[in-house]
């Protein structure tokens, strides 16, 4: 159980960090803000739960007040999950109106829990904060204690059940990457919902003086924790896969950019006026300006092709030589000021259409230049 708690906490922290990164890039994205609140509630639950459960409080707060704050965070996280789906699936005006209506039960639940803590007898406050530990003598029958837990459990059951329905409804029509992420999230929600139902039933049964079978509660706890882990992975999946694909493209562009270096250097020395960026760059700048690698990659491809077009008239007199030697001969002729016709001829023309085919020919020529040294 302890290992599962640690896994849940670590996954929640990782996903929260990832969502914060995305939120910085898109601060006005309402669905992203909403789901970030939900994930933050899981992180706070991981951080605060142990301190509250053993009766030590948190950050100087009375244990029962810390428990109340934790419950507030939980219901706010559930509300954030509902808001995420509303603003993802509906138009802005409709989503705002329904989000306002969905806020009503949040306010009601928060009010009930606040009243329950305020009216709770002093003799049971500390033991009520540690109720989830299952210690003997816990004040199960006290109505204020029952309300504090039951209202939170019922709202979370409602929020996760609603999210599960929306996930099933809208996941089928999503694009493949998002559909796979929502499928994972739905598996997690399908585990969380019955666990929350068991917690709610347990609160009612204990308040009435009965007890649920211990095995049922023992199964519900890891079911909830495992469901949270799968849910978090599902929500992070689309963004992580997209970022990994972007990193793969970035790495390919960076690698190709440097492989084009020998060809680009020779052509740039002869035709510096063709540079799309007149500011000289060195290797250290290439490493420090990695986010701009895509722009520099396309710029280098264009400059190499432009340089070959310019030098091609000077290569006509050496058609019996290999392409690398023809290129060097043409560069020497240009440098010496030889007079040639102005008509360009094809050089390193790809056999297929598209930029990738063109880049492959340029890279092959650049590699040949490097090898000829």
């Amino acid at each position: 159980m302890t290992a599962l708690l640690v896994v849940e906490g670590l996954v929640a922290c990782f996903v929260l960090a990832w969502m914060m990164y995305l939120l910085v890039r898109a601060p006005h994205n309402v669905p992203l803000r909403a789901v970030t609140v939900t994930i933050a509630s899981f992180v706070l639950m991981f951080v605060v739960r142990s301190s509250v459960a053993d009766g030590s409080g948190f950050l100087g707060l009375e244990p029962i007040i810390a428990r109340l704050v934790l419950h507030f965070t939980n219901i706010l996280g559930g509300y954030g999950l509902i808001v995420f789906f509303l603003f993802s699936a509906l138009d802005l005006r409709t989503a705002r109106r329904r989000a306002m209506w969905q806020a009503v039960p949040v306010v009601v639940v928060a009010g009930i829990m606040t009243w329950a803590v305020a009216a709770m007898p002093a003799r049971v406050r500390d033991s009520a904060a540690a109720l989830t530990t299952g210690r003997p003598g816990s004040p199960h029958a006290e109505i204020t204690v029952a309300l504090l837990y039951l209202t939170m459990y019922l709202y979370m059951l409602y929020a996760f059940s609603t999210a599960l329905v929306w996930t099933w409804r809208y996941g089928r029509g999503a694009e493949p990457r998002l559909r796979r992420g929502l499928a994972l999230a739905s598996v997690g929600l399908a585990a969380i919902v019955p666990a929350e139902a068991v917690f709610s039933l347990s609160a009612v049964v204990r308040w009435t003086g009965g007890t649920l079978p211990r095995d049922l509660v023992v199964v519900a706890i890891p079911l909830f924790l495992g469901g949270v882990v799968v849910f978090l992975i599902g929500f992070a999946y689309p963004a992580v896969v997209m970022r990994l694909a972007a990193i793969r493209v970035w790495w390919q562009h960076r690698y190709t950019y440097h492989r084009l270096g020998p060809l680009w250097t020779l052509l740039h020395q002869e035709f510096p006026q063709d540079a799309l960026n007149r500011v000289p760059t060195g290797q250290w700048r290439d490493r420090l300006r990695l986010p701009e690698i895509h722009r520099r990659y396309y710029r280098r491809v264009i400059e190499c092709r432009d340089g070959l077009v310019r030098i091609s008239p000077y290569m006509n007199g050496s058609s019996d030589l290999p392409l690398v030697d023809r290129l060097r001969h043409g560069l020497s002729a240009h440098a010496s000021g030889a007079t040639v016709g102005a008509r360009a001829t094809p050089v390193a023309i790809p056999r297929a259409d598209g930029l990738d085919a063109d880049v492959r020919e340029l890279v092959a020529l650049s590699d040949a230049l490097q090898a000829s040294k």
Side-chain angles (χ1 to χ4, degrees), residues 8 37-42 45 69-82 105-106 109-110 113 148-164 188-200 224 228 231:
E8 181 216 355
V37 170
T38 300
I39 297 169
S41 71
F42 288 127
M45 181 171 60
V69 172
L70 183 58
H71 283 195
F72 282 161
T73 305
N74 290 337
I75 63 172
L76 189 60
Y79 175 70
L81 189 57
I82 293 175
V106 175
V109 169
M113 291 192 301
L148 174 63
Y149 286 89
L150 182 59
T151 50
M152 190 272 293
Y153 288 146
L154 288 176
Y155 180 79
M156 296 304 291
L157 177 61
Y158 163 74
F160 286 123
S161 299
T162 302
L164 180 59
L189 289 170
I192 294 173
V193 168
E196 289 287 355
V198 171
F199 297 153
S200 303
F224 174 81
V228 170
F231 166 78

Side-chain angles (χ1 to χ4, degrees), residues 19-356:
M19 291 300 167
M20 292 297 295
Y21 164 74
L22 297 177
L23 192 59
V24 169
R25 301 186 64 184
H28 302 295
N29 188 317
V30 177
L32 185 58
R33 282 188 288 177
V35 78
T36 301
V37 170
T38 300
I39 297 169
S41 71
F42 288 127
V43 173
L44 187 62
M45 181 171 60
F46 168 72
V47 173
V48 178
R49 179 170 43 205
S50 60
S51 298
V52 175
D54 63 14
S56 61
F58 185 74
L59 296 179
L61 295 174
E62 182 187 0
I64 194 62
I65 300 299
R67 172 67 69 178
L68 179 62
V69 172
L70 183 58
H71 283 195
F72 282 161
T73 305
N74 290 337
I75 63 172
L76 189 60
Y79 175 70
L81 189 57
I82 293 175
V83 170
F84 166 80
F85 282 103
L86 289 177
F87 279 87
S88 298
L90 304 176
D91 62 89
L92 185 59
R93 183 175 181 181
T94 304
R96 284 177 176 173
R97 184 176 67 252
R98 294 187 62 172
M100 290 181 64
W101 281 109
Q102 290 290 343
V104 173
V106 175
V107 174
V108 173
V109 169
I112 292 174
M113 291 192 301
T114 302
W115 174 85
V117 170
M120 192 176 295
R123 57 183 173 80
V124 301
R125 292 174 72 86
D126 289 346
S127 56
L131 187 62
T132 55
T133 60
R135 295 173 182 173
S138 297
H140 302 294
E142 173 61 46
I143 181 62
T144 54
V145 176
L147 284 175
L148 174 63
Y149 286 89
L150 182 59
T151 50
M152 190 272 293
Y153 288 146
L154 288 176
Y155 180 79
M156 296 304 291
L157 177 61
Y158 163 74
F160 286 123
S161 299
T162 302
L164 180 59
V165 172
W166 281 72
T167 304
W168 282 342
R169 181 181 302 173
Y170 293 100
R172 293 190 295 268
E175 55 90 15
R177 183 172 53 231
L178 179 58
R179 184 168 64 248
R180 288 190 291 269
L182 290 177
L184 279 173
S186 67
V187 172
L189 289 170
I192 294 173
V193 168
E196 289 287 355
V198 171
F199 297 153
S200 303
L201 182 61
S202 177
V204 174
V205 171
R206 288 187 299 181
W207 174 49
T208 58
T211 55
L212 280 180
R214 178 174 176 79
D215 292 342
L216 187 61
V217 179
V218 169
V219 169
I221 295 175
L223 188 64
F224 174 81
L225 296 176
V228 170
V229 172
V230 176
F231 166 78
L232 291 172
I233 293 174
F235 253 88
Y237 175 84
V240 171
V241 170
M242 183 173 63
R243 183 54 52 189
L244 290 176
I247 291 174
R248 185 169 61 252
V249 173
W250 172 86
W251 179 259
Q252 291 173 346
H253 282 184
R254 182 181 183 276
Y255 179 63
T256 305
Y257 171 82
H258 288 292
R259 285 183 68 183
L260 288 172
L263 175 61
W264 177 86
T265 300
L266 284 178
L267 295 173
H268 180 69
Q269 288 173 351
E270 283 304 311
F271 309 108
Q273 68 275 17
D274 285 349
L276 299 178
N277 183 358
R278 302 300 177 87
V279 179
T281 59
Q283 190 175 9
W284 67 273
R285 286 177 63 92
D286 291 344
R287 292 175 178 174
L288 292 177
R289 301 173 65 187
L290 292 181
E292 299 181 7
I293 191 63
H294 300 302
R295 179 180 63 84
R296 290 185 283 121
Y297 162 79
Y298 290 115
R299 187 189 71 208
R300 178 158 287 188
V301 170
I302 294 171
E303 290 174 357
C304 286
R305 180 53 68 185
D306 288 346
L308 289 177
V309 170
R310 280 184 175 271
I311 200 63
S312 63
Y314 295 86
M315 299 169 59
N316 292 336
S318 55
S319 57
D320 56 333
L321 297 176
L323 181 56
V324 172
D325 295 333
R326 290 171 54 200
L327 177 58
R328 294 189 185 278
H329 181 274
L331 290 170
S332 298
H334 180 271
S336 64
T339 303
V340 297
R343 184 177 179 180
T345 57
V347 177
I349 299 301
R351 298 178 181 179
D353 296 332
L355 177 63
D356 290 340

